[in-house]
Amino acid sequence: MNIQSILSDASVSFGTLTLSVLLRGLVLLVLGLLVVKALLRLTAKLLARSKTLSDLSRYLLSTAKVLLYVLLALVVLGSLGVEVTSFVALLSVAGLAVSLAMQTTLSNVAGGMMLLVSKPFSAGDYISADGTEGTVEAVGLSYCTIKTVDNKEIFIPNSQISGAKIINYNRLGRRRVDLTFTASYNAPTAAVKSAVSDAMARFPQILSDPAPVTYLSEYGASSISYLARMWVNAEDYWDVYFGMLEAVRETFDTHGVEMTYDHLNIHMVQD
């Protein structure tokens, strides 16, 4: 005797429900739970293999679990003769109401998912985005936390930062320091370059490849501009940047180079 014959022979009823209907619903519930657990295990394994979606695995699994259990509940209720159309309509209206009420939050969540998948930056990176510059403390599902150089903690909504231009200063590992210095027209070019080179020699953080260089970049109204370029590891950028500004002032004095400023020379001619 198979299950179908047992269900068809069952004649006990509870109101509008018969024992066969209840047994059918119970069988669907048990099988559905087994299928849901199997699908969730398979989804977890697939997400674990994906490096791109690893940060989203917890959220995706939670969403999949809710959807699968809701679908199972509708299937079981339908097998018991319950009209599920009204439930579906109610869930649709409720979902629409929630989405409208949480439009900003959902927009931030969508932006967070984009950031977690595309990964334009990670925690610890120094970035510039949406007018804010600092070190990324955390990348959440709704907000990104950035710590500025003056020790301010800024929370930027993901919907805002995901649509902004993002500059990641750490991604490539090295940064180029560009500094412009001015010198008098009376200072020989070789002397100026030698003074800048001496300042560079004080910083072992400056990389030898590419080699640091100094160019004469512009003839100004009152001075000549020189551009110094050097490569450093990203974490050494600010130490070298500010250190060079101080060191060049000293080496200019040592080499007798005048660091000029904008001025106006007036020549009086007597008739």
Side-chain angles (χ1 to χ4, degrees):
M1 182 175 287
N2 54 31
I3 296 177
Q4 185 63 36
S5 61
I6 295 175
L7 295 177
S8 60
D9 292 340
S11 58
V12 181
S13 63
F14 302 90
T16 58
L17 297 177
T18 63
L19 181 58
S20 61
V21 173
L22 291 174
L23 290 176
R24 187 184 302 115
L26 181 61
V27 171
L28 282 175
L29 178 61
V30 173
L31 293 177
L33 290 174
L34 294 175
V35 171
V36 168
K37 290 182 179 180
L39 289 176
L40 290 176
R41 283 197 297 268
L42 178 61
T43 304
K45 290 181 180 179
L46 293 176
L47 291 175
R49 295 177 182 176
S50 175
K51 295 182 179 179
T52 304
L53 299 177
S54 58
D55 294 330
L56 286 174
S57 59
R58 184 178 60 181
Y59 306 105
L60 293 176
L61 280 175
S62 299
T63 302
K65 183 181 295 186
V66 172
L67 292 177
L68 288 174
Y69 279 121
V70 169
L71 180 61
L72 176 59
L74 292 176
V75 172
V76 173
L77 289 174
S79 69
L80 296 177
V82 178
E83 182 59 43
V84 297
T85 305
S86 57
F87 284 99
V88 174
L90 181 61
L91 290 174
S92 300
V93 173
L96 179 60
V98 170
S99 62
L100 291 176
M102 302 179 63
Q103 185 174 2
T104 302
T105 301
L106 293 176
S107 178
N108 289 335
V109 171
M113 295 180 69
M114 290 178 58
L115 292 175
L116 291 172
V117 171
S118 59
K119 290 187 176 180
F121 53 81
S122 303
D125 288 347
Y126 189 89
I127 69 167
S128 174
D130 196 45
T132 302
E133 187 170 314
T135 303
V136 179
E137 292 285 296
V139 183
L141 200 59
S142 297
Y143 291 88
C144 285
T145 307
I146 295 180
K147 184 178 180 181
T148 62
V149 291
D150 54 348
N151 204 34
K152 294 178 182 176
E153 198 171 53
I154 301 177
F155 298 88
I156 303 179
N158 286 335
S159 59
Q160 190 172 333
I161 197 171
S162 62
K165 181 178 73 173
I166 301 171
I167 302 176
N168 191 327
Y169 295 102
N170 290 63
R171 178 60 62 86
L172 300 180
R174 298 186 299 178
R175 293 184 63 179
R176 191 180 71 190
V177 182
D178 288 350
L179 293 172
T180 300
F181 304 101
T182 58
S184 169
Y185 272 92
N186 296 326
T189 299
V192 176
K193 289 186 175 181
S194 178
V196 176
S197 296
D198 286 352
M200 292 178 178
R202 298 184 181 185
F203 299 93
Q205 302 97 317
I206 296 177
L207 303 177
S208 58
D209 185 21
V213 292
T214 304
Y215 300 103
L216 190 158
S217 59
E218 184 182 1
Y219 291 99
S222 306
S223 60
I224 299 177
S225 296
Y226 294 85
L227 175 63
R229 284 182 170 174
M230 61 219 82
W231 287 87
V232 298
N233 292 323
E235 61 272 15
D236 297 326
Y237 180 86
W238 291 113
D239 290 338
V240 173
Y241 182 93
F242 292 115
M244 278 291 298
L245 292 178
E246 295 181 6
V248 165
R249 183 180 178 89
E250 296 177 5
T251 56
F252 269 27
D253 289 340
T254 302
H255 286 75
V257 176
E258 180 186 0
M259 188 176 290
T260 61
Y261 52 88
D262 290 339
H263 59 276
L264 179 64
N265 292 328
I266 300 176
H267 300 274
M268 303 294 293
V269 179
Q270 294 182 351
D271 294 333

